[in-house]
Amino acid sequence: MTKPVLGILTLYLNNSKKLEERPVYEKMISEGRKIGLSVFVFTPQDVEDNEGKIHALIFDPDAKKWSRRWVRFPNVIYDRCRIQRSERFQQLLAFRKRYSHLQFLNRPLRNKWTVYRTLSKVAAFRPHLPLTRAYQSSDEVAQMLKKFPTVYLKPINGTGGRGILRIDRSSDGNLLLQGRNHSRSIVQPRNISRGSLSSALGNWDMHGDSYIVQQGLDIKLPNGRIHDYRMLVQKNGSGAWEVTGCAGRVGPLRSITSNLHGGGVATSMNSLLRQWIGNEASIASVRETAETFGINVAHHLEATYGALCELALDLAIDRKGKVWLIEVNPKPSREVFKQAGELEVYRNAIVRPIEYAMWFYRQKKEVRNQRSETSENVEMLNRRQLVELISEYSQSSGRLYARY
Ligand SMILES: Nc1ncnc2c1ncn2[C@@H]1O[C@H](COP(=O)(O)OP(=O)(O)OP(=O)(O)O)[C@@H](O)[C@H]1O
Ligand SMILES: [Mg+2]
């Protein structure tokens, strides 16, 4: 019997033929082999449309070597492509459109603004969502600053902390602007008067993206660094959502973001919560609230947008232990767990999509088998009924008519 095949769909880094998450794929391929799932990696650039073939990247765990081989389309596809401005991403969109009939473990999620609106329709989620508005002009920012001492301006399609601006209202009525530009560098903080808000925002390079304005959460540690949490929620080998782990991130000094790529460091959730909340019973209850929330969000987004296999929630926990959702990431990296020293979670984070892919394949196969069994039964039934009908008709056409 041939093994089921999983294709990991990704994009090459820049214009090279290099892969960003190669070590993670190597582990996934090795794990696949252990459970009888063949796994290869490919990008839309490797697909030969006319011949229906893929020039796939194959890893041999014994020889620890990568090679290329022409293969047929896989049974299941796991999409790891993150949104970006590039021709490669356009090729990905074209691939997904052309091959939408294939079996994907995950469908694309939506931008930060759409996801916020979707979640805010659910009453149980609303207490966990910082108030968010679509940015149209400095008016929304000025209004939000009347309600909250801090607001964040973020690109709806931003990643890695790029292009984020934070505005703090100070007691003298002035505003402090701090942020990171689209190359992720920290921009020089500026103090401005309220009256200059409009022109300051006009000078902020939005890179042509749409923005949201969001209530700023107070997550500054006593040492002045901001912190938050990354919770990974994944489908497991039985097709159920599960929290794989949650780790803390602490931003560098003078940074308004905690992202690891922006110099943040990872640490265990409990060690941060002990500094922040202290009491063990409250910590346990905060963790439970966060986990239940994470699972519910995953269920809801999957029901709204279609198949998903994993999500990472960026969570903030305020001083009172209230859990807030900063944003949802559909293509999470697992590095935070490795850096936090949570190696068991890191391993699970890699293994789960592979086990889920196997479950997914078997599930679809069972449904296909059931369908073909049902259609065979229907065909047999029809044939039998026809024979009965003909014999009945030949005995008495009048009786047959009466049955209708
Ligand atoms: N409303 C907020 N209040 C306090 N801190 C915030 C807020 N929004 C964002 N941050 C900080 O900025 C970081 C980056 O913001 P966010 O996660 O929304 O975008 P992103 O990281 O660029 O996206 P991605 O996680 O997809 O790469 C957060 O992890 C958090 O540290
Ligand atoms: Mg984030």
Side-chain angles (χ1 to χ4, degrees):
M1 210 177 73
T2 53
K3 274 191 196 174
V5 182
L6 171 72
I8 301 178
L9 175 60
T10 184
L11 297 175
Y12 289 123
L13 270 174
N14 307 320
N15 290 321
S16 67
K17 287 245 160 167
K18 288 195 183 124
L19 298 175
E20 189 186 353
E21 296 191 291
R22 215 172 61 167
V24 171
Y25 301 147
E26 289 175 3
K27 291 189 191 82
M28 287 181 167
I29 290 167
S30 305
E31 292 300 330
R33 191 160 80 164
K34 286 186 202 159
I35 61 166
L37 181 72
S38 232
V39 184
F40 66 75
V41 179
F42 72 109
T43 78
Q45 282 172 270
D46 306 321
V47 179
E48 183 58 66
D49 291 321
N50 298 333
E51 297 183 32
K53 285 194 306 189
I54 298 176
H55 205 203
L57 286 149
I58 313 281
F59 179 69
D60 176 348
D62 295 326
K64 301 204 174 347
K65 278 209 172 109
W66 285 89
S67 60
R68 291 247 180 213
R69 201 184 311 146
W70 283 103
V71 297
R72 289 193 311 191
F73 277 76
N75 302 99
V76 181
I77 297 176
Y78 171 36
D79 183 350
R80 289 290 305 151
C81 306
R82 294 199 183 103
I83 189 163
Q84 54 175 257
R85 275 189 202 196
S86 70
E87 198 191 324
R88 297 188 300 285
F89 193 74
Q90 294 307 315
Q91 289 167 345
L92 166 78
L93 296 181
F95 173 86
R96 290 218 56 148
K97 199 165 166 198
R98 181 169 186 151
Y99 296 105
S100 61
H101 57 282
L102 297 179
Q103 302 285 355
F104 285 85
L105 287 186
N106 48 346
R107 301 267 153 201
L109 200 64
R110 303 298 192 276
N111 64 55
K112 293 186 205 296
W113 174 231
T114 309
V115 168
Y116 170 81
R117 278 184 304 164
T118 299
L119 296 178
S120 62
K121 287 187 190 131
V122 180
F125 294 155
R126 279 201 288 272
H128 298 289
L129 306 178
L131 189 72
T132 304
R133 295 274 172 265
Y135 172 82
Q136 257 126 29
S137 72
S138 62
D139 291 351
E140 287 84 31
V141 181
Q143 274 169 21
M144 290 278 268
L145 280 168
K146 280 187 195 148
K147 280 197 183 136
F148 309 107
T150 304
V151 301
Y152 271 73
L153 252 102
K154 305 193 282 192
I156 61 170
N157 284 315
T159 58
R162 292 183 185 82
I164 299 185
L165 183 67
R166 167 178 157 144
I167 307 172
D168 289 281
R169 157 162 62 82
S170 46
S171 47
D172 60 8
N174 284 342
L175 303 174
L176 172 65
L177 270 57
Q178 307 170 80
R180 286 182 183 260
N181 63 21
H182 285 272
S183 325
R184 220 194 268 126
S185 313
I186 294 185
V187 295
Q188 189 65 26
R190 278 204 304 146
N191 251 306
I192 61 161
S193 68
R194 265 173 203 237
S196 330
L197 180 64
S198 171
S199 71
L201 292 182
N203 288 333
W204 180 253
D205 178 12
M206 297 206 167
H207 224 63
D209 206 347
S210 299
Y211 265 66
I212 49 172
V213 195
Q214 189 168 74
Q215 165 187 357
L217 304 160
D218 187 7
I219 46 178
K220 208 178 249 183
L221 293 167
N223 64 12
R225 295 167 194 252
I226 66 148
H227 77 292
D228 58 20
Y229 301 88
R230 183 67 48 122
M231 175 183 279
L232 182 63
V233 189
Q234 293 180 300
K235 287 266 185 83
N236 63 20
S238 326
W241 284 109
E242 208 176 319
V243 173
T244 307
C246 188
R249 301 182 300 185
V250 179
L253 259 185
R254 286 180 285 279
S255 170
I256 59 140
T257 61
S258 68
N259 305 57
L260 300 186
H261 285 303
V265 291
T267 180
S268 85
M269 183 181 196
N270 275 352
S271 69
L272 265 182
L273 285 177
R274 274 188 205 117
Q275 284 183 45
W276 191 240
I277 293 181
N279 170 330
E280 289 294 326
S282 312
I283 291 177
S285 131
V286 165
R287 286 196 73 136
E288 203 187 313
T289 306
E291 292 189 4
T292 308
F293 174 65
I295 301 268
N296 290 344
V297 164
H299 274 288
H300 187 73
L301 291 178
E302 185 173 39
T304 311
Y305 299 122
L308 290 172
C309 63
E310 58 185 354
L311 291 173
L313 276 65
D314 286 347
L315 299 174
I317 295 171
D318 70 18
R319 214 60 210 243
K320 293 187 190 134
K322 187 167 171 191
V323 176
W324 297 89
L325 177 67
I326 296 177
E327 63 141 357
V328 184
N329 301 278
K331 306 286 167 52
S333 134
R334 291 130 228 277
E335 295 313 293
V336 67
F337 301 110
K338 195 174 169 189
Q339 291 188 28
E342 297 189 8
L343 299 184
E344 180 70 20
V345 176
Y346 181 67
R347 204 188 100 78
N348 287 340
I350 289 175
V351 176
R352 280 211 176 129
I354 299 301
E355 291 178 343
Y356 173 61
M358 194 61 160
W359 178 89
F360 181 92
Y361 168 78
R362 289 197 177 127
Q363 192 75 7
K364 296 277 169 194
K365 198 170 160 203
E366 218 167 88
V367 172
R368 271 198 309 275
N369 287 348
Q370 273 169 8
R371 264 199 212 129
S372 67
E373 238 172 61
T374 316
S375 61
E376 260 169 41
N377 287 346
V378 168
E379 214 170 277
M380 277 174 62
L381 196 74
N382 286 348
R383 234 179 275 153
R384 215 173 44 230
Q385 279 176 334
L386 199 67
V387 171
E388 277 171 13
L389 221 60
I390 291 168
S391 81
E392 250 184 83
Y393 185 76
S394 58
Q395 282 167 26
S396 156
S397 59
R399 215 175 76 211
L400 182 69
Y401 181 76
R403 282 171 72 183
Y404 285 89

